[in-house]
Amino acid sequence: MKELSQYRVFLLLRKMLVYSLIIAIVVGLMLYFVANSPFVIKKAVDTFAPDYNISYSRIHGNTFTGLEIEDLSYNNESLAKHITLKWNPNGIANKKILVNTLQIEKANIDTIKAFANSFVSADDNESNESSTEASQKSVFLPQWVLIDRVEISLDPFVYDTVKVNHFVFTGKDLVFDIEKPMFQNGNLDLNISTNLSDILYHTKVKNNLFTGQIRLASTPELFKLLELPLRKEAIGDIVIDINASEKHVAAGLSKTMKQVLESKEDGFNLDVDSLSSSVVYDIAKASLRVETHGILSTPYAKDIVVSNLFIMDDNISYSGEIYAKQIMGIDARFVKPLNHLQINYVGGTSSVHAKIKSDNLQGVFDSDDFKTAKLHLETPEAIALRDMVQLPAELNQSKAMLQIDVPIDFETNATLVAEAKIQSNLISMDANISYKEYLEVKSVATIPQESLLRPYSKELKWDRLNPILVEAKLTDKEADIVLDAASLSAEAHYVLKDTKLDGRVKLGGLEATIEGKVEEKITVTTKINSTESLIKSIQEIYTLAEIPVVKGSAELSLEITALKKMDFTVKSPQILYQPDRKTEHQ
């Protein structure tokens, strides 16, 4: 909608130009009826001005040296504080008004609008007059107005939420065809200062075609008014090429911007590597067409290609595409299914529908009222888990299917909630995923009878582990995980930046602590107060071969270096083994 707001600014400028030039043309027409002395000038003006509710405080000068009008008013409301006009009367014979200089100071835009509307009303009242009478009057009207130089300044005024503090319009070499009517030639400049933006506009006119450029320098108040979470320094000045005629208005914009969003240091941000936008407004059809193409970069994807087509006529519609070749910033193995992500969408004022597709993901996003929406994602084919994690050779045939459903309530939902299902030949899992200030996952997993884990480790009593409850909390800096399965439980705290890990594992009466940095060294320590209790706890989930009766206590320590080397240490004050003489133990 940014392009639409820029177009509205241009319409405001166009209206200002038209209203300002009305004064120039009306004053020029007045000269047609005047002679060569101040008395005749005053007499002529006093004759015709009351018909249009025009008044003034003073007129001085003549048609040769120049004419000045003080305090020109319409219906006792100021049209302009001071008007200076210098012209060449020789053009009258050729039906031309030749103006050398026209300067209008402190014009009042509201009074000009009222004055212009009075002409519309007058035209309606006179529409029933005969064409013969009209043609007879037209003989006495000039065909051309030629102005060498014009300067118009307006009093400060308010237009909707825009406060115009400074407005100066200048024109050179202006040629206006009254009969058609049409601007034949000219150079126009606008210098405007408002509470929202400073505006510089230059255009050349040729046969009613305005070709020029507008430069917008936004103020902090604009970002505050529109509640834009954007950096003013990143946006900078906006330069728009504009072509306008009586049939259409066309505008073009090209821009690059770095670190566009207002965000904390090292937070998510956005670069606009390139942006081009084309706006066309068809005046007769009252339709607007906006085409936008851009390339964006984020910490998680580079060279994101975006395109959008916006159409406003009797209805509002839009369609577009977003394409990202590769997801970054996360382990490439985990996001491989998301590569070549493509989103195609269509929508209107009350609904939007999008199709999502990537290397191994597809889905839809639907909202019929912009109050609620549904997001559905699934893997069309099973994902080979060996492409994401390193597995033992016996588990290399592991595959999984994923399905995610996200109901969204735009009015009340401050938290994103999703339901996920994973079906694989390892485990089956149902998970509830929520995100507000951090990502939280609560899941229930089971080991199906056909799981590859069962033949992989026959000694493990898999049914004693069902179900496996897992809760995880993940921020952009750390993760907390809790696991509970029958007599086995575990919890861990992991710092992402330095891979620091702190955790505890409980198995019956056995408790082990885990400390260290994953990429450097991890130490697992445990104290066994009773070997008999330990063996009993292990047998609850694991089938042990026949073992002798061992009594005592011990301290165990396991050091894992860079996930490649392990050192195992056992310390015990006393281990007692009391076999009978008949049983053989290995």
Side-chain angles (χ1 to χ4, degrees):
M1 298 297 289
K2 180 179 178 183
E3 292 82 1
L4 181 57
S5 64
Q6 294 166 352
Y7 165 72
R8 292 176 64 188
V9 170
F10 176 75
L11 279 186
L12 171 61
L13 297 180
R14 193 169 183 269
K15 285 183 179 181
M16 291 177 180
L17 279 175
V18 172
Y19 291 144
S20 301
L21 289 175
I22 285 173
I23 294 181
I25 295 170
V26 170
V27 172
L29 290 172
M30 289 168 60
L31 293 174
Y32 179 75
F33 299 100
V34 302
N36 296 332
S37 71
F39 174 78
V40 177
I41 292 173
K42 187 176 185 305
K43 187 68 175 177
V45 172
D46 288 344
T47 299
F48 291 98
D51 294 340
Y52 299 97
N53 296 317
I54 297 293
S55 60
Y56 61 93
S57 65
R58 183 186 178 203
I59 293 180
H60 55 96
N62 57 61
T63 56
F64 293 105
T65 62
L67 183 67
E68 295 187 41
I69 304 175
E70 305 285 350
D71 299 320
L72 184 66
S73 299
Y74 168 70
N75 278 340
N76 296 320
E77 296 290 339
S78 175
L79 273 170
K81 185 67 177 176
H82 184 88
I83 298 176
T84 299
L85 176 65
K86 294 181 181 180
W87 76 306
N88 185 345
N90 295 328
I92 292 294
N94 297 320
K95 294 188 177 181
K96 296 180 180 178
I97 296 178
L98 306 178
V99 179
N100 302 117
T101 300
L102 173 61
Q103 185 174 11
I104 302 175
E105 299 178 14
K106 295 186 177 181
N108 188 303
I109 190 69
D110 292 329
T111 310
I112 294 172
K113 289 164 63 176
F115 182 52
N117 290 335
S118 71
F119 279 96
V120 175
S121 300
D123 290 341
D124 293 339
N125 293 334
E126 297 173 4
S127 60
N128 294 326
E129 295 183 5
S130 66
S131 59
T132 303
E133 182 181 355
S135 62
Q136 289 175 346
K137 289 185 177 181
S138 66
V139 174
F140 300 100
L141 291 176
Q143 181 179 349
W144 300 90
V145 175
L146 289 80
I147 303 175
D148 291 340
R149 183 178 180 276
V150 60
E151 180 178 323
I152 301 174
S153 65
L154 299 183
D155 274 339
F157 64 94
V158 176
Y159 180 84
D160 198 9
T161 57
V162 181
K163 299 177 182 178
V164 179
N165 304 312
H166 173 79
F167 181 104
V168 176
F169 161 69
T170 58
K172 293 181 180 180
D173 305 324
L174 303 180
V175 179
F176 185 77
D177 188 331
I178 297 175
E179 289 187 349
K180 290 189 177 178
M182 181 178 73
F183 269 107
Q184 196 76 17
N185 286 296
N187 291 280
L188 305 175
D189 286 280
L190 272 177
N191 189 334
I192 304 174
S193 178
T194 77
N195 60 319
L196 303 181
S197 179
D198 292 332
I199 304 168
L200 293 175
Y201 175 50
H202 173 76
T203 184
K204 292 183 178 181
V205 186
K206 183 73 173 179
N207 297 329
N208 247 18
L209 178 63
F210 291 70
T211 304
Q213 190 177 82
I214 184 171
R215 180 180 294 270
L216 305 174
S218 302
T219 66
E221 187 174 342
L222 175 66
F223 293 85
K224 183 178 180 180
L225 176 68
L226 300 180
E227 299 181 349
L228 299 175
L230 307 176
R231 289 196 316 118
K232 178 180 178 297
E233 298 78 10
I235 304 301
D237 291 356
I238 298 175
V239 179
I240 306 172
D241 295 318
I242 296 179
N243 293 330
S245 68
E246 71 277 8
K247 295 182 179 180
H248 74 275
V249 178
L253 166 69
S254 295
K255 186 73 174 173
T256 61
M257 295 172 281
K258 299 295 182 183
Q259 300 293 292
V260 174
L261 304 178
E262 285 280 7
S263 64
K264 298 179 180 179
E265 187 176 356
D266 298 329
F268 178 85
N269 218 306
L270 174 70
D271 290 343
V272 180
D273 300 321
S274 70
L275 176 66
S276 63
S277 185
S278 173
V279 182
V280 177
Y281 181 73
D282 189 310
I283 297 175
K285 297 180 180 178
S287 64
L288 178 69
R289 180 184 178 92
V290 183
E291 290 188 63
T292 303
H293 301 276
I295 298 178
L296 313 178
S297 292
T298 74
Y300 302 105
K302 303 296 182 184
D303 300 328
I304 304 171
V305 180
V306 297
S307 62
N308 184 76
L309 174 61
F310 175 89
I311 297 176
M312 182 176 69
D313 39 34
D314 293 336
N315 300 300
I316 291 179
S317 63
Y318 48 86
S319 60
E321 179 181 333
I322 302 172
Y323 174 79
K325 183 177 181 180
Q326 185 177 11
I327 306 299
M328 304 170 58
I330 305 174
D331 193 321
R333 295 173 299 174
F334 297 146
V335 295
K336 185 178 179 181
L338 293 176
N339 287 343
H340 301 99
L341 177 64
Q342 181 174 325
I343 303 173
N344 295 90
Y345 61 88
V346 295
T349 55
S350 60
S351 65
V352 62
H353 305 278
K355 292 183 178 180
I356 304 166
K357 186 178 181 181
S358 67
D359 281 355
N360 201 354
L361 189 71
Q362 65 184 23
V364 293
F365 177 89
D366 287 307
S367 176
D368 292 324
D369 53 12
F370 280 141
K371 295 180 180 179
T372 61
K374 295 180 180 179
L375 173 64
H376 174 81
L377 297 172
E378 63 181 28
T379 52
E381 298 179 356
I383 300 174
L385 297 182
R386 64 175 179 270
D387 295 336
M388 304 177 66
V389 294
Q390 187 174 355
L391 295 171
E394 295 86 347
L395 302 179
N396 272 342
Q397 299 304 312
S398 302
K399 294 182 178 181
M401 297 283 289
L402 173 67
Q403 179 178 309
I404 299 176
D405 288 285
V406 185
I408 301 172
D409 189 327
F410 294 112
E411 294 183 337
T412 61
N413 236 0
T415 303
L416 179 65
V417 178
E419 299 291 336
K421 292 182 179 294
I422 299 176
Q423 298 291 332
S424 76
N425 52 2
L426 289 181
I427 64 172
S428 297
M429 179 184 294
D430 290 337
N432 178 276
I433 305 168
S434 62
Y435 181 82
K436 189 172 184 180
E437 296 177 355
Y438 54 84
L439 181 67
E440 184 173 10
V441 179
K442 297 180 179 180
S443 66
V444 178
T446 58
I447 312 298
Q449 292 297 323
E450 65 275 11
S451 171
L452 297 179
L453 292 173
R454 292 179 181 269
Y456 173 70
S457 181
K458 296 179 180 180
E459 294 81 6
L460 193 60
K461 300 176 181 179
W462 292 103
D463 291 332
R464 295 297 302 273
L465 296 178
N466 282 337
I468 303 171
L469 307 179
V470 178
E471 292 189 14
K473 295 181 180 179
L474 178 65
T475 70
D476 56 352
K477 295 182 179 180
E478 56 192 14
D480 289 285
I481 300 174
V482 176
L483 181 147
D484 192 2
S487 59
L488 174 66
S489 64
E491 59 183 48
H493 177 76
Y494 182 67
V495 181
L496 302 179
K497 186 175 181 180
D498 57 7
T499 70
K500 184 179 180 181
L501 177 65
D502 289 303
R504 283 167 178 74
V505 178
K506 291 183 179 181
L507 179 60
L510 174 68
E511 182 174 341
T513 61
I514 305 171
E515 296 177 320
K517 295 184 178 182
V518 174
E519 295 180 353
E520 297 176 12
K521 181 183 290 186
I522 300 174
T523 302
V524 182
T525 58
T526 183
K527 185 174 182 180
I528 302 172
N529 295 319
S530 170
T531 55
E532 291 178 303
S533 297
L534 171 63
I535 293 172
K536 184 178 180 181
S537 297
I538 293 175
Q539 285 179 324
E540 289 185 10
I541 62 171
Y542 195 84
T543 301
L544 295 172
E546 184 179 352
I547 59 173
V549 178
V550 179
K551 297 180 180 180
S553 61
E555 291 183 2
L556 308 181
S557 177
L558 174 65
E559 288 188 353
I560 305 173
T561 305
L563 298 179
K564 295 181 178 179
K565 178 183 176 183
M566 291 192 298
D567 294 311
F568 186 67
T569 303
V570 179
K571 294 181 181 180
S572 175
Q574 186 182 48
I575 294 292
L576 298 177
Y577 169 50
Q578 298 175 336
D580 57 52
R581 295 183 179 182
K582 298 180 179 179
T583 305
E584 180 180 348
H585 295 288
Q586 296 181 350

